[in-house]
C-alpha cells in the first residue's frame, strides 16, 4: 500500500511539472500576460501621439492659423506693424540693440558713380 501511494505521488508530480514549469505552463502564461499588458500601455501612448500629430497635420494643411502660430513660436516671426516686447527676469542685464544703418543708406554696399 505504501509503495502504491509513493508511486501515485511521483506520477502526480510528473503530471504537475509541465503544468507549472513546462513550455505552456502557468508561469509562462503569467509572464506573457504581463508583456501583453505592457505592450497595450505602449500602444495607447503611441495612439495618442499619432492622434496629436494627425490633428497638427490637418491644421497645417487646412488653416493658416497653425502655420502663423508655428512661425511665431519657432522662427520668431512677427506681423508687419507689430512691436516686440521682451520681459526680462529680475537681475538680468539689458541686451544692447543692434546698430542701425545711418540715415540715407540702405545697408547695401555703395556702388561707384557712373561716368
Amino acid at each position: 500500500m505504501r509503495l502504491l501511494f509513493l508511486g501515485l505521488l511521483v506520477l502526480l508530480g510528473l503530471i504537475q511539472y509541465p503544468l507549472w514549469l513546462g513550455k505552456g505552463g502557468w508561469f509562462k502564461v503569467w509572464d506573457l500576460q504581463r508583456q501583453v499588458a505592457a505592450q497595450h500601455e505602449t500602444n495607447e501612448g503611441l495612439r495618442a501621439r499619432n492622434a496629436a500629430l494627425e490633428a497638427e497635420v490637418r491644421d497645417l494643411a487646412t488653416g493658416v492659423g497653425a502655420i502663423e502660430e508655428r512661425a511665431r513660436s519657432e522662427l520668431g516671426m512677427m506681423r508687419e506693424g507689430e512691436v516686440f516686447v521682451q520681459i526680462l527676469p529680475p537681475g538680468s542685464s539689458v541686451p544692447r540693440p543692434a546698430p542701425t544703418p545711418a540715415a540715407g543708406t540702405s545697408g547695401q554696399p555703395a556702388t561707384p558713380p557712373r561716368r
Side-chain angles (χ1 to χ4, degrees), residues 42-109:
T42 303
N43 289 351
E44 288 303 315
L46 292 174
R47 277 192 191 97
R49 191 188 87 190
N50 285 348
L53 288 173
E54 182 181 349
E56 186 176 351
V57 166
R58 192 173 35 253
D59 284 347
L60 289 172
T62 60
V64 294
I67 295 171
E68 182 179 340
E69 177 186 342
R70 198 161 211 173
R72 287 173 178 269
S73 66
E74 293 180 9
L75 301 175
M77 298 180 87
M78 297 173 22
R79 283 187 185 165
E80 194 171 325
E82 285 185 336
V83 177
F84 176 72
V85 177
Q86 182 178 9
I87 300 173
L88 298 174
S92 63
S93 63
V94 177
R96 294 183 179 229
T100 57
T105 62
S106 63
Q108 296 181 3

